[in-house]
Amino acid sequence: MGWGYLLITLYSRDSDSDQRSSGQLVSVAKGSAIYHQGDEAGFWYEVVSGIVRTCRFLSDGHRQLTGFFYSDDVFGVEASAYHESAEAVTNVLLRRFTNRAADDDSDSEADARGRVLEKALESARRCIFLFGHRTAANRVAAFLIIQAERSGAQSGLQLPMTRSDIADYLNLTLHTVSRTIADFARKRLIALDSPQHVRILDLDGLRALSGEPDGDSGSDAYPASPREGVGL
Amino acid sequence: MGWGYLLITLYSRDSDSDQRSSGQLVSVAKGSAIYHQGDEAGFWYEVVSGIVRTCRFLSDGHRQLTGFFYSDDVFGVEASAYHESAEAVTNVLLRRFTNRAADDDSDSEADARGRVLEKALESARRCIFLFGHRTAANRVAAFLIIQAERSGAQSGLQLPMTRSDIADYLNLTLHTVSRTIADFARKRLIALDSPQHVRILDLDGLRALSGEPDGDSGSDAYPASPREGVGL
DNA sequence: CGTCTCCTTGAAAGCGTTCAATTACAGTGG
DNA sequence: CCACTGTAATTGAACGCTTTCAAGGAGACG
């Protein structure tokens, strides 16, 4: 432990003129921190390639992951200070932008910020969605489905994060995650080619286990809301 | 069950001219739905008085609460369709606004939307924060602290929502919530004057139980981030 | 005074955690 | 090339917490 802190390479020379519109390219090595919770929120980031995780550290030493971010995802959108830390799961290439709400109050600026905020909100809701599931099987199944949808590939799914990462994201222990995934493989819901490489064999079975017909990657196609029995 | 659906009173006569800038006043009776998940997201709302809950219904019949909203809180900020339903916990008075991102792309319009999105994001993060806690005692303690801070009053705290509401918000059963609150009262952390009226006797004790020194109502004052031991 | 809703409490079962040990694999240096 | 080392993943067994099942009690309302 206690190794490197931050490895950043700036590809764009000019430090202030260009970054507002196009964004400054930043490279971060696997395992390194991008920013820490409590730091002043100078930038928000867009993933160009690789995977990023955001996490909080609670006072009891426990770690809580709040999101995984793939290409085109954004993170670090904050008003003042970062609520959470961001770390590189793999080697990542990022594009960063200044994080001021009304810094330059041009039309496009505020609109862009709105779009970014919506993405951040979507990410937060995905996290809430996962937490909402009761059992370990529920959560892991929902997680696998979401990761499959987000990473694009339907059958062959990569899980570059560790079991510990997944556990802290789903609020489980790495043991339970490992056991649950092994269970899924035993039941032929998935094939476990290697710990990081999963193939989904029975998507419908997984969906049934997740307790939700919709993977929740998009925005519409929600189950019919129960119009009756509102008051509880 | 199966009683009234929606009771709305419009205080503003003109249906379209006024609502954009100042907002249209809407009254909703306790227990009634304000909108349903899946509905087209025509409006977002600001609470004038009373308390609102937002919730999702999963395919297994299970309900997941995603937030309680007090005066000046906003909810229903969506891009296209509502992700969740909104219901009145008490009789509520709301102010509603049109929910179009770039409907009228004036400067102030986009800025206002940005501020509202930030509030929604803060609300989502509060939900994530609560879910991140492991044990029932952790979650309930954190919940009580947050509610105390948000409702203003420090000692005398009202819990207008049912135990079932709290349970679905914290992802527990109402039994566990009831037991945990009774435990807190037994340990003299709180006084339970009535099921809905709680007085906090030992705030530090609750904080210790919640596993977080900060109640997370504001934005700064986070615990020192662990600079060492970054890579897991 | 009955009914309805909500809250509380007891007992047993289920499931995830904890403690503990083993295996697999990549990197490193002999 | 192979033992050595450290990290990650897996698996077993026992414990403990939460859920589930079940019943009783407290108010509100007609």
Side-chain angles (χ1 to χ4, degrees), chain A residues 136 172-173 175-176 179:
Chain A
L172 298 167
T173 62
H175 308 277
T176 304
R179 268 186 254 268

Side-chain angles (χ1 to χ4, degrees), chain B:
Chain B
M1 286 267 171
W3 51 300
Y5 165 72
L6 179 55
L7 183 63
I8 279 195
T9 308
L10 301 180
Y11 287 95
S12 178
R13 259 160 254 67
D14 39 0
S15 61
D16 235 321
S17 62
D18 188 38
Q19 72 190 31
R20 183 155 302 166
S21 51
S22 68
Q24 201 173 25
L25 281 176
V26 178
S27 170
V28 182
K30 171 179 177 175
S32 296
I34 297 159
Y35 56 77
H36 288 88
Q37 69 189 43
D39 286 355
E40 192 207 354
F43 302 95
W44 61 268
Y45 297 83
E46 185 179 71
V47 178
V48 177
S49 68
I51 299 183
V52 170
R53 65 169 176 249
T54 53
C55 52
R56 296 178 47 127
F57 294 93
L58 282 73
S59 58
D60 57 8
H62 173 255
R63 186 183 66 157
Q64 175 187 17
L65 290 205
T66 53
F68 290 110
F69 300 87
Y70 295 82
S71 296
D72 297 326
D73 289 341
V74 299
F75 62 93
V77 185
E78 305 276 354
S80 56
Y82 291 119
H83 284 71
E84 52 212 3
S85 302
E87 301 166 359
V89 175
T90 64
N91 290 330
V92 291
L93 192 58
L94 307 171
R95 189 171 283 123
R96 75 178 190 187
F97 303 83
T98 56
N99 212 346
R100 289 292 92 205
D103 209 24
D104 183 358
D105 42 10
S106 71
D107 231 29
S108 61
E109 188 74 15
D111 279 356
R113 181 165 178 83
R115 275 190 296 277
V116 165
L117 278 170
E118 279 172 16
K119 278 195 173 188
L121 196 53
E122 181 195 327
S123 168
R125 279 174 171 151
R126 185 163 36 242
C127 188
I128 291 174
F129 169 77
L130 282 171
F131 276 174
H133 295 280
R134 294 135 309 291
T135 68
N138 285 161
R139 290 213 265 263
V140 174
F143 173 77
L144 289 178
I145 291 171
I146 287 182
Q147 295 309 311
E149 288 181 351
R150 278 163 63 74
S151 63
Q154 209 64 312
S155 55
L157 169 60
Q158 291 287 343
L159 296 178
M161 66 291 289
T162 67
R163 296 290 188 262
S164 183
D165 282 343
I166 299 174
D168 290 347
Y169 187 39
L170 303 180
N171 204 16
L172 299 167
T173 62
L174 70 160
H175 309 274
T176 304
V177 170
S178 180
R179 268 186 254 268
T180 306
I181 290 180
D183 271 345
F184 286 175
R186 223 167 284 129
K187 291 172 183 167
R188 298 291 165 193
L189 294 167
I190 61 173
L192 205 55
D193 297 336
S194 87
Q196 269 69 38
H197 190 255
V198 170
R199 273 181 298 120
I200 294 182
L201 300 179
D202 183 0
L203 185 56
D204 291 334
L206 276 185
R207 282 201 214 280
L209 263 179
S210 82
E212 191 83 4
D214 178 22
D216 198 38
S217 76
S219 48
D220 42 6
Y222 276 88
S225 49
R227 301 273 164 171
E228 211 59 36
V230 161
L232 170 55

Side-chain angles (χ1 to χ4, degrees), chain A residues 168-180:
Chain A
D168 289 346
Y169 187 41
L170 303 179
N171 205 16
L172 298 167
T173 62
L174 70 161
H175 308 277
T176 304
V177 170
S178 181
R179 268 186 254 268
T180 307

